[in-house]
Amino acid sequence: MEQLVYKKPDSIRDDFKITFCPGCDHGVAVKLVAEVLDELGVRENTIGIASVGCSVFSYDFFNVDIVEAPHGRSLAVATGVKRSKPDKVVFTYQGDGDLASIGIGETIHAMTRGEKVTAICINNTTYGMTGGQAGPTTLIGQVTTTTTKGRKVEISGYPLKVSEILKEIDGTAFVARVTLDSPQAIMNAKKCIKKAFEAQLKGLGTGFVEILATCPTNWKMTPQEAHARVRGEMSEIFKPGIYKDKVSEAK
Amino acid sequence: MGRIVLNRDKCKACYLCVDACPNKVLEVDKSVNALGYYPIKVNPDKTCIGCAMCARVCPDIAIEKVYR
Amino acid sequence: MKKEKELLKGNYAIAQAAIQAGCQSYFGYPITPQSEIGEYLSEKMPENGRVFVAAESEVAAINMLLGAGSTGVKAMTSSSSCAVALMQEGLSFIAGDEIPCVLVSVMRGGPGLGYIYPSQGDYYQATKGGGNGDYKIVTFAPSSVQECVDLTYKCFYVSQKYRTPVCLLADGMLGQMMEPAVVGEYPYEEIDQSSWALDGAKDREPRYIASIEREQETLRKRVVKIFEKYNQILENENLFEKYEIDGAKLVITAFGSIARIAKAAVKMARKKGLKVGLFRPIMLNPFPEKIVAEIAQKVDGILDIELNCGQMLQDIKASIAGVASIPVEFFGRPAGMMMTVEEIYEQIEIAYKKIVEKKYGTACI
């Protein structure tokens, strides 16, 4: 007897449009969030926050209530939603420009308050939607449309290591950095995303997952080359791993 | 034996699934899809084991279901 | 339930009215001269099982308001001048998203930090806004502590009824002064928000609240719809005060705290036989152009008085353009200095004379 072993998650709309470029890891990340919402059985009780950047069209695929935040303000909007409706599951889906550059203040303070929300950050070392400019996480030497000769420390400083910062904040309950460059990595990422939601469901604090993701279009690489870059130079600077896990400690 | 349900018009031709498939069941189609990409197709001569690796790595949810 | 008159400071009146109105969530960041609102609510909101969050900035506060409002609860923030400036982006989003919420703006002197004295330098900020795109922030301006209460109620009602951000535009004088007022029961019906508010997509299609729209035609229609709403608001919710307008040769236009002082000056002028009246718009945005135009057709001149360099003045002029060719005189004082009744009376005399003798000009002292 034939068994269904995989299907599109219910938390992805039936009439979904994946609005990302070919081979972009965003698609996989979105799917993992949706799978976790399905597995936790919270789809119908969830409010998502769409941020500015490639994730702004979240309502094209997420099959949950969505409110869009101005650039960088997702975690402030999430705070307003969660405090007003504490029984809802609230998550933000943000890029690194949104969460770590323009919104770093909101990020740090929402997590300092220990908001019971989940934040997913796609770190692809560039501003994807606007055409691949240098961002807070752009690696030293990386060529972008605003660092055409490579990012230089003396001009633009260093890449920001978000997970390392956020693990130090008392209000975070789960902090992990994951990749999506292989089926195994994807399964691991899903486990972490699930824990980041459990952190909120158990009332432990903010759950955070930083996903090292590809931007094949702006990196000017094939999706395969882009994954090699994630495994290589990106993982050297941004070390994947679980940085903080109060969820397991609480079990 | 396994089987995938492919929506070829969702495929954006990244071919991450082609690399992920342990049995090399998936290959590039010779005709374009509605999006103008050369999508993947199943090689009928190869055996799908229903591991769903292809579906997991697919960023476009073009592989909608996997059976085993 | 408070029904007795009590001596109340404007800021506390606003805060108490917010509680009475059923404000579920308050987000704010301290700034003089409105800090008492947040102080009061920091204690009372939790006591009433409601939400108080000390935001890390006004930028965060306005976006918390966006989030809270999107769930359909009554939500409020309060701030002042240079800090309301930080909220403009959020207000544009909130207006575009049609999210109900209340912004209390207690004006101080500017530009920049200026100082904490009462001013009306943010008429433009409230009614024209610094956010991008076509939108309006519906604005009500109280001129007494009692109106701080009544208009706070009105702000919540209008915001919820029309799904729009509404601003209560007070100033440092109203915020800080004490006078008797009653914080009575919230007088408006509750407006059901369940048809659009986000509460999880249970047994229904998911909802999204977003300002972004890729289809030009859809976006155009959305903006046009919002503007149709502003027309309805003007038609249904307009508030103003007319004093001694009938038979007046000169009408004083003024809003908020200075309108009270102007009213005293008008009384003084009437006693001395000058045919002077007062028009005080309470709803400043959308601006009651028709009413101003009607008044302008019946009088020989207007003297606009503001605690700024002439902001509402432009709306007055625009209202009467092509309708009445009468002079619009102006007396303004920026940067947080009040005017006395006598000073305004003096300007009324000057303007009255000018209008009779047809010698025009403006003063900004």
Side-chain angles (χ1 to χ4, degrees):
Chain A
M1 182 62 195
E2 196 177 56
Q3 272 187 338
L4 184 67
V5 290
Y6 185 89
K7 71 172 179 67
K8 174 193 80 62
D10 292 338
S11 296
I12 296 289
R13 300 178 65 97
D14 286 340
D15 60 350
F16 70 91
K17 279 189 295 241
I18 297 290
T19 46
F20 306 113
C21 300
C24 171
D25 277 347
H26 256 298
V28 175
V30 161
K31 205 167 51 168
L32 293 182
V33 172
E35 286 176 18
V36 167
L37 293 176
D38 277 13
E39 286 177 20
L40 295 171
V42 296
R43 183 191 78 78
E44 295 180 329
N45 199 39
T46 294
I47 298 174
I49 318 295
S51 58
V52 171
C54 296
S55 60
V56 71
F57 297 116
S58 286
Y59 52 77
D60 274 340
F61 35 82
F62 280 126
N63 194 21
V64 301
D65 280 2
I66 296 277
V67 55
E68 161 211 86
H71 196 19
R73 315 304 167 211
S74 294
L75 280 157
V77 173
T79 300
V81 171
K82 185 73 178 193
R83 294 292 186 109
S84 299
K85 298 283 173 184
D87 60 324
K88 300 295 161 197
V89 177
V90 177
F91 76 92
T92 68
Y93 186 83
Q94 307 173 252
D96 53 288
D98 197 83
L99 181 134
S101 186
I102 190 168
I104 190 73
E106 282 75 7
T107 301
I108 286 179
H109 283 282
M111 295 189 186
T112 299
R113 289 190 302 269
E115 296 295 341
K116 314 296 185 287
V117 301
T118 302
I120 307 296
C121 176
I122 303 296
N123 174 359
N124 59 12
T125 71
T126 189
Y127 288 102
M129 190 177 240
T130 46
Q133 296 80 12
T137 53
T138 298
L139 298 185
I140 304 302
Q142 185 179 338
V143 172
T144 73
T145 52
T146 52
T147 53
T148 51
K149 295 188 169 95
R151 180 175 185 163
K152 290 185 171 63
V153 170
E154 46 294 10
I155 295 172
S156 15
Y158 301 89
L160 192 69
K161 295 172 183 172
V162 185
S163 291
E164 285 84 341
I165 294 170
L166 299 183
K167 79 168 197 302
E168 299 297 335
I169 292 179
D170 291 339
T172 53
F174 185 81
V175 176
R177 183 185 284 132
V178 301
T179 68
L180 303 172
D181 61 304
S182 69
Q184 294 76 15
I186 289 169
M187 294 310 288
N188 175 59
K190 184 174 167 183
K191 277 183 201 160
C192 288
I193 292 170
K194 196 168 187 176
K195 280 198 169 174
F197 274 92
E198 284 168 347
Q200 125 167 234
L201 291 168
K202 291 176 192 293
L204 298 171
T206 311
F208 174 72
V209 179
E210 174 186 356
I211 299 174
L212 299 184
T214 56
C215 184
T217 300
N218 287 306
W219 294 359
K220 299 177 173 56
M221 290 179 179
T222 65
Q224 291 74 12
E225 289 164 352
H227 275 154
R229 178 177 184 251
V230 169
R231 277 190 293 275
E233 62 173 1
M234 252 177 102
S235 291
E236 273 172 38
I237 303 297
F238 301 118
K239 297 203 162 39
I242 293 173
Y243 284 78
K244 187 176 196 175
D245 185 3
K246 287 189 187 169
V247 179
S248 295
E249 290 167 23
K251 269 178 185 166
Chain B
M1 269 290 279
R3 172 170 76 88
I4 66 167
V5 177
L6 169 70
N7 183 343
R8 72 189 293 279
D9 287 332
K10 292 274 186 197
C11 175
K12 292 195 196 129
C14 70
Y15 308 134
L16 288 170
C17 58
V18 174
D19 300 337
C21 177
N23 276 13
K24 303 294 169 208
V25 176
L26 302 172
E27 56 185 37
V28 180
D29 204 335
K30 287 193 176 66
S31 61
V32 295
N33 66 6
L35 298 174
Y37 294 106
Y38 288 99
I40 55 136
K41 67 175 175 111
V42 174
N43 180 341
D45 300 332
K46 299 279 178 71
T47 305
C48 172
I49 56 168
C51 66
M53 294 293 186
C54 55
R56 293 198 188 286
V57 301
C58 177
D60 290 292
I61 323 182
I63 299 162
E64 292 176 338
K65 285 176 184 166
V66 180
Y67 292 96
R68 181 162 56 207
Chain C
M1 188 63 57
K2 291 191 202 77
K3 286 203 175 126
E4 297 289 303
K5 263 196 180 183
E6 61 176 327
L7 196 59
L8 259 184
K9 194 173 190 174
N11 283 336
Y12 290 125
I14 293 166
Q16 289 185 14
I19 298 257
Q20 282 294 89
C23 177
Q24 182 62 33
S25 301
Y26 172 90
F27 311 95
Y29 187 92
I31 179 170
T32 312
Q34 64 77 53
S35 295
E36 293 90 346
I37 299 176
E39 288 171 357
Y40 183 88
L41 293 175
S42 70
E43 198 173 303
K44 296 294 174 187
M45 291 295 269
E47 274 178 24
N48 285 279
R50 305 186 197 173
V51 176
F52 169 89
V53 179
E56 63 269 30
S57 67
E58 289 84 359
V59 176
I62 195 72
N63 287 292
M64 290 174 187
L65 195 63
L66 187 160
S70 72
T71 69
V73 301
K74 287 180 189 157
M76 181 174 104
T77 186
S78 60
S79 191
S80 177
S81 301
C82 43
V84 174
L86 289 171
M87 298 182 169
Q88 295 300 324
E89 176 202 35
L91 287 169
S92 167
F93 275 72
I94 288 169
D97 291 348
E98 298 184 76
I99 294 173
C101 60
V102 174
L103 159 69
V104 176
S105 171
V106 182
M107 292 180 282
R108 54 189 265 167
L113 279 178
Y115 205 55
I116 58 178
Y117 303 124
S119 161
Q120 296 182 325
D122 303 321
Y123 176 91
Y124 277 163
Q125 185 188 56
T127 64
K128 314 297 177 226
N132 62 300
D134 281 311
Y135 73 95
K136 288 178 194 283
I137 303 295
V138 177
T139 303
F140 292 96
S143 73
S144 67
V145 171
Q146 186 61 57
E147 278 190 356
C148 286
V149 175
D150 299 343
L151 293 177
T152 297
Y153 292 161
K154 180 88 173 174
C155 286
F156 277 106
Y157 171 68
V158 171
S159 75
Q160 291 246 309
K161 183 168 181 196
Y162 298 91
R163 282 184 62 189
T164 188
V166 181
C167 172
L168 181 80
L169 187 66
D171 62 45
M173 187 172 109
L174 287 163
Q176 295 300 321
M177 74 186 219
M178 294 180 84
E179 64 178 342
V182 184
V183 184
E185 273 186 61
Y186 180 65
Y188 300 101
E189 57 176 322
E190 293 298 331
I191 312 289
D192 182 20
Q193 308 293 322
S194 64
S195 65
W196 65 270
L198 304 188
D199 61 349
K202 186 167 171 60
D203 303 324
R204 61 162 171 78
E205 276 292 293
R207 294 170 178 161
Y208 66 88
I209 293 176
S211 64
I212 196 164
E213 176 53 61
R214 283 167 289 197
E215 298 296 327
Q216 279 181 317
E217 183 54 12
T218 311
L219 183 56
R220 185 190 68 81
K221 279 183 182 157
R222 184 197 287 173
V223 175
V224 168
K225 188 188 133 212
I226 293 173
F227 271 72
E228 281 166 3
K229 198 161 67 176
Y230 298 140
N231 290 338
Q232 281 176 32
I233 293 172
L234 181 59
E235 201 172 309
N236 301 334
E237 310 298 342
N238 192 14
L239 292 175
F240 54 85
E241 181 189 359
K242 277 181 181 172
Y243 179 72
E244 300 276 15
I245 296 273
D246 290 339
K249 276 186 181 302
L250 174 71
V251 161
I252 310 303
T253 53
F255 73 96
S257 59
I258 200 66
R260 273 176 86 160
I261 299 168
K263 192 174 174 180
V266 167
K267 284 181 185 171
M268 193 184 271
R270 279 275 169 183
K271 271 187 191 162
K272 298 197 177 181
L274 304 184
K275 291 176 179 167
V276 182
L278 173 83
F279 176 68
R280 172 169 74 96
I282 297 172
M283 184 161 83
L284 301 181
N285 201 28
F287 192 73
E289 289 184 0
K290 268 190 195 165
I291 294 166
V292 173
E294 280 166 21
I295 292 170
Q297 284 171 302
K298 292 177 192 162
V299 300
D300 296 335
I302 287 175
L303 170 60
D304 182 55
I305 296 177
E306 299 179 60
L307 293 174
N308 58 40
C309 288
Q311 299 191 10
M312 185 173 78
L313 175 65
Q314 305 308 325
D315 283 332
I316 299 281
K317 284 182 174 174
S319 301
I320 68 169
V323 177
S325 344
I326 56 163
V328 179
E329 298 290 311
F330 175 69
F331 178 48
R333 179 168 289 170
M337 269 181 79
M338 265 291 160
M339 297 170 184
T340 62
V341 177
E342 290 72 21
E343 281 178 308
I344 293 177
Y345 173 73
E346 199 178 305
Q347 293 299 320
I348 290 175
E349 264 195 337
I350 293 168
Y352 202 79
K353 204 176 167 207
K354 273 186 191 171
I355 283 158
V356 173
E357 294 177 6
K358 302 198 183 316
K359 283 181 188 168
Y360 310 126
T362 59
C364 189
I365 301 168

